[in-house]
Amino acid sequence: MNSPHYILLPVSSLFITVSLICAFFLNFLPTGAWVGMPDFVALALVFWSIHQPRKVGIGVAFVMGLLMDVHSAVHLGENALAYTLLSYLAITIHRRVLWFKPLAQSFYVLPLFMFVQAVQLIVRLIVAPAAQFPGWLYFAASIVTTLLWPVVTWVLLAPQRRAVDKDNTRPI
């Protein structure tokens, strides 16, 4: 039997900001050389671009990309370009994705994460011709990020869910 769809409470702009900052700091972890390390900023940007496209859009993605460029010490604009395209594509499909449960949504966001990594790789190969293709294991991060999608959806939607017990004095 299908579970009913619940109407969520409005999201706080402060909560969105805190979640993006937390994702940014999670990318600071000294595990960047690990194979399959997820891009938490891309994950948070896709989530909020799908769930709140009027609050988190291309401008926020561009700023987060510039901050990641400075942090990663890569060519300025590499992550900004990738995150901007990512946010645009997520906003483009947001109405379709919201019809599905988080596990099914993963199939929609996997190509987005792979596209971001492909854009970053293409920029690196164009700017530095001496660079070599890192191998197909490079895209393992997209798969790990996609596997985190249901968990992140559950965590980031938690403050918006209504209380289980009905209180007649509560307006919503």
Side-chain angles (χ1 to χ4, degrees):
M1 186 166 210
N2 291 338
S3 62
H5 291 281
Y6 294 104
I7 296 175
L8 298 173
L9 298 172
V11 64
S12 166
S13 297
L14 178 65
F15 181 71
I16 293 173
T17 305
V18 168
S19 68
L20 288 172
I21 290 170
C22 288
F24 184 67
F25 284 124
L26 281 172
N27 275 4
F28 277 4
L29 293 175
T31 56
W34 290 5
V35 174
M37 187 63 189
D39 187 355
F40 294 105
V41 172
L43 183 61
L45 282 173
V46 169
F47 178 83
W48 290 120
S49 292
I50 287 175
H51 287 275
Q52 296 293 326
R54 292 185 179 195
K55 290 186 178 185
V56 177
I58 296 171
V60 172
F62 182 75
V63 170
M64 293 298 289
L66 286 178
L67 291 173
M68 282 305 299
D69 286 335
V70 171
H71 162 67
S72 304
V74 295
H75 304 289
L76 190 62
E78 177 183 319
N79 287 317
L81 172 68
Y83 289 167
T84 303
L85 291 172
L86 175 71
S87 180
Y88 172 76
L89 293 173
I91 290 170
T92 302
I93 66 168
H94 85 277
R95 289 180 189 240
R96 180 179 307 155
V97 171
L98 290 176
W99 278 96
F100 299 102
K101 295 182 188 252
L103 192 59
Q105 290 174 1
S106 301
F107 293 107
Y108 281 92
V109 298
L110 175 63
L112 296 178
F113 295 131
M114 293 192 115
F115 177 73
V116 166
Q117 282 199 293
V119 167
Q120 292 170 336
L121 181 63
I122 290 169
V123 168
R124 288 181 195 148
L125 293 175
I126 288 173
V127 173
Q132 294 180 353
F133 180 70
W136 293 108
L137 206 54
Y138 173 76
F139 292 101
S142 297
I143 295 169
V144 173
T145 306
T146 303
L147 290 174
L148 288 175
W149 179 261
V151 176
V152 168
T153 300
W154 183 78
V155 168
L156 292 180
L157 287 181
Q160 298 178 42
R161 289 193 191 92
R162 294 177 185 258
V164 175
D165 56 334
K166 175 124 171 116
D167 184 6
N168 293 328
T169 61
R170 191 176 319 141
I172 293 182

